Amino acid sequence: AVSASSSTSNRSVMVVSADVYRPAAIKQLETLAGEVGVTFFPSDVSQKPVAIAEAAIREAKLKFIDVVLVDTAGRLAIDSEMMAEIQQ
């Protein structure tokens, strides 16, 4: 869907994983990005999710990338810490 969407709309796409709670999610997204031909922005579980997203957006602007898709950890309304994190 990401590749088809970007090729038909002629937009460049970057994906980044801000899911620091599942380290495998980062590698999984990197693999998927390579398969569909979009730019992958590397991240690390030691980073804060907001910092990851901000760094990816800065990099996308420098590279004139049109769309940044940020993969985040699933959020439950009952998980107040994670809900506060997403409000940032």
Side-chain angles (χ1 to χ4, degrees):
V2 171
S3 179
S5 173
S6 63
S7 64
T8 58
S9 66
N10 209 22
R11 293 188 176 170
S12 54
V13 176
M14 173 186 282
V15 295
V16 59
S17 178
D19 186 350
V20 297
Y21 304 100
R22 294 184 318 123
I26 296 170
K27 186 66 180 163
Q28 202 172 31
L29 188 61
E30 181 179 17
T31 300
L32 180 62
E35 289 174 1
V36 298
V38 299
T39 302
F40 173 76
F41 183 83
S43 59
D44 186 88
V45 295
S46 67
Q47 297 173 283
K48 299 255 185 230
V50 173
I52 293 169
E54 289 172 343
I57 292 167
R58 278 193 304 274
E59 181 74 11
K61 287 179 179 179
L62 288 173
K63 293 184 174 182
F64 301 101
I65 293 175
D66 301 308
V67 178
V68 178
L69 298 174
V70 181
D71 178 35
T72 64
R75 307 280 195 245
L76 296 175
I78 58 172
D79 189 334
S80 58
E81 183 179 331
M82 290 182 88
M83 291 304 289
E85 182 180 82
I86 197 133
Q87 289 177 345
Q88 294 178 3

